[in-house]
Amino acid sequence: MDEKPTTKKGPDFCSLRYGLALIMHFSNFTMITQRVSLSIAIIAMVNGTQQHGLSNASTDGPLADALNNLSRSTVEFNRKVSVYQWSPEIQGIIFSSINYGIILTLIPSGYLAGIFGAKHMLGAGLLISSLLTLFTPLAADFGVTLVIVIRTVQGMAQGMAWTGQFTIWAKWAPPLERSKLTTIAGSGVAFGSFIILCVGGLISQALGWPFIFYIFGSTGCFCCLLWFTVIYDDPMHHPCISVREKEHIVSSLAQQSSSPRRSVPIKAMVRCLPLWAIFLGFFSHFWLCTIIITYLPTYISTVLHVNIRDSGVLSSLPFIAASSCTILGGQLADFLLSKNLLRLITVRKLFSSLGLLLPSLCAMALPFVVSSYMTTIILLILIPGTSNLCDSGFIINTLDVAPRYASFLMGISRGFGLLAGIVSSTATGFLISQVGPVY
């Protein structure tokens, strides 16, 4: 194949397509931190005793000097907004409300991104999500209803940003580099989860839980500036791309259909069994991932009986493993394809199967090892890590099956996934309130 030498020669750190992957990595990092912020903050928001204890403990510990430098108004503000009477059922609804918003915009945003371009749609979604994150602490003072509304609208904004990414990759990612590029970008989700879970508790303890939202909301605003400056919808119109790289991307995508845009073949898609396999894969993947991301800090806090700071640090460990596995999985998948060791369909099936089966087995084993601290931590690390092997399987499979409609199909796929997220997070909150934790 003529593409192979060019693909190998392309310098990862100098080529524009890899720079785009890094910026998209940062964007995904920003969105997931804004999404998970509430999962960390809510431990202090609904636990008055714990929050008070944390304040007292921190004045006697190594953070004393930092806390003594805080202004009196900041301390009074933190105390004022620290406690809300939200039941587990209400918390489950709050957690799932962002999924309601995402699912409302997934399909239309995926379709419109394919028509009008993804750059402005993604950038606008990221900006709206960041601004709403900054307003979340204020919304909590006005009541749980406004928090649910804010989270729902934030979900709609993030839905615009999630799906349009595949419109960009359909024009920027050569076939033999799809797994690498999309997993570099997608690993921002796992890395963002790692960072927010690692430092979220520290921020809450040192500065107060509202600063979790302020810091990551501000980070998102900075990311928007970077996005609108560097990102372009396709390599043909980017002013800074080299001629060599542009020719490489265009020639590698030449085999794909380039006929004029026509209406989406809905009937053919409904009858397509491979697409239904992708949809069901998303449903299964998101069911487990939503529970892990949403309830992991609370699970570690109650099962291992640690404070909010240590709970956040322990909760972050699984996601650094997930970030690493995402990138390594993409490298391995493209290696198997470039060396012709396995066919494309075999690679996608292999990574899909491993990404669904291995984390499910680890999750099923958790109730039987709660008495072992180390075993519990190991299983919690393995669940997100092995689950992210799906990123080189069915998650990018729409780029192989129908690259022209990849963004639209990704919207439907994530719709199935977020439907699982809504049901799983709400059902988990309901089950906890009814039967209590079984430890």
Side-chain angles (χ1 to χ4, degrees):
M1 294 175 69
D2 294 335
E3 295 174 8
K4 277 189 183 179
T6 309
T7 302
K8 288 183 179 180
K9 271 187 174 182
D12 292 1
F13 296 103
C14 298
S15 62
L16 196 60
R17 60 189 182 277
Y18 281 89
L20 186 148
L22 291 176
I23 294 176
M24 204 170 291
H25 172 99
F26 187 34
S27 301
N28 289 330
F29 166 93
T30 300
M31 285 189 289
I32 198 64
T33 54
Q34 294 171 359
R35 182 176 179 179
V36 181
S37 292
L38 188 61
S39 297
I40 285 288
I42 205 166
I43 299 176
M45 293 171 71
V46 301
N47 192 342
T49 302
Q50 184 177 6
Q51 179 71 6
H52 180 70
L54 286 171
S55 298
N56 290 339
S58 62
T59 58
D60 296 329
L63 294 174
D65 294 337
L67 288 174
N68 287 334
N69 291 331
L70 291 174
S71 67
R72 184 170 302 177
S73 60
T74 302
V75 175
E76 290 175 354
F77 175 75
N78 291 338
R79 290 176 179 172
K80 178 182 177 182
V81 299
S82 62
V83 180
Y84 302 97
Q85 301 301 318
W86 295 343
S87 66
E89 296 98 322
I90 293 297
Q91 294 178 45
I93 294 173
I94 294 174
F95 287 144
S96 62
S97 60
I98 195 168
N99 289 331
Y100 291 121
I102 294 176
I103 203 170
L104 287 175
T105 55
L106 279 177
I107 296 177
S109 64
Y111 179 73
L112 294 175
I115 296 178
F116 300 110
K119 173 182 177 177
H120 294 94
M121 184 168 294
L122 269 71
L126 181 58
L127 178 61
I128 294 171
S129 176
S130 301
L131 293 177
L132 292 177
T133 300
L134 292 172
F135 283 108
T136 299
L138 180 62
D141 274 345
F142 284 91
V144 66
T145 301
L146 185 56
V147 173
I148 293 174
V149 171
I150 288 287
R151 295 282 288 181
T152 302
V153 177
Q154 186 178 28
M156 295 174 67
Q158 291 200 1
M160 295 167 55
W162 286 123
T163 53
Q165 294 184 24
F166 271 58
T167 300
I168 291 179
W169 287 129
K171 298 177 180 179
W172 276 91
L176 294 181
E177 298 178 30
R178 279 175 180 164
S179 297
K180 292 179 185 177
L181 292 169
T182 56
T183 53
I184 289 173
S187 64
V189 175
F191 185 63
S193 300
F194 164 74
I195 293 297
I196 181 62
L197 292 171
C198 186
V199 306
L202 299 175
I203 295 172
S204 178
Q205 186 175 16
L207 302 175
W209 64 261
F211 282 87
I212 300 176
F213 299 97
Y214 298 152
I215 291 173
F216 291 103
S218 301
T219 302
C221 292
F222 170 77
C223 183
C224 287
L225 179 62
L226 192 63
W227 178 272
F228 283 114
T229 302
V230 179
I231 299 296
Y232 280 74
D233 287 316
D234 60 70
M236 297 299 296
H237 297 92
H238 202 292
C240 300
I241 190 171
S242 66
V243 175
R244 179 184 177 187
E245 183 178 7
K246 183 190 297 185
E247 291 177 350
H248 167 60
I249 296 174
V250 172
S251 62
S252 65
L253 297 177
Q255 70 237 35
Q256 295 183 173
S257 174
S258 58
S259 59
R261 190 180 307 279
R262 60 172 184 253
S263 60
V264 179
I266 299 295
K267 292 183 179 180
M269 290 179 177
V270 171
R271 295 193 296 265
C272 182
L273 291 181
L275 285 181
W276 281 104
I278 294 173
F279 298 156
L280 293 178
F282 267 86
F283 186 91
S284 303
H285 178 69
F286 271 67
W287 181 283
L288 181 58
C289 287
T290 302
I291 294 176
I292 293 296
I293 291 176
T294 302
Y295 285 98
L296 184 58
T298 303
Y299 181 83
I300 289 181
S301 176
T302 53
V303 173
L304 303 181
H305 306 291
V306 296
N307 58 37
I308 185 174
R309 180 189 61 191
D310 295 335
S311 174
V313 173
L314 289 176
S315 299
S316 69
L317 295 179
F319 295 99
I320 192 63
S323 181
S324 302
C325 287
T326 300
I327 297 176
L328 291 176
Q331 297 289 327
L332 178 58
D334 279 349
F335 173 80
L336 294 174
L337 290 173
S338 63
K339 297 296 184 180
N340 290 321
L341 297 176
L342 294 174
R343 294 188 303 156
L344 176 62
I345 188 172
T346 305
V347 170
R348 299 297 183 233
K349 287 182 177 180
L350 174 63
F351 281 86
S352 297
S353 300
L354 292 176
L356 291 175
L357 181 60
L358 294 180
S360 299
L361 293 176
C362 293
M364 291 173 62
L366 274 177
F368 302 100
V369 299
V370 290
S371 59
S372 173
Y373 179 95
M374 187 57 64
T375 305
T376 300
I377 293 298
I378 291 174
L379 289 178
L380 290 174
I381 290 175
L382 288 175
I383 290 174
T386 55
S387 178
N388 277 28
L389 293 175
C390 291
D391 284 23
S392 298
F394 60 81
I395 288 183
I396 66 167
N397 207 194
T398 53
L399 283 173
D400 306 317
V401 175
R404 186 194 308 167
Y405 306 110
S407 187
F408 176 76
L409 292 174
M410 176 55 65
I412 299 177
S413 301
R414 285 192 174 273
F416 275 87
L418 290 166
L419 177 62
I422 291 171
V423 176
S424 63
S425 58
T426 304
T428 301
F430 176 78
L431 290 173
I432 291 175
S433 67
Q434 294 297 313
V435 302
V438 183
Y439 308 132

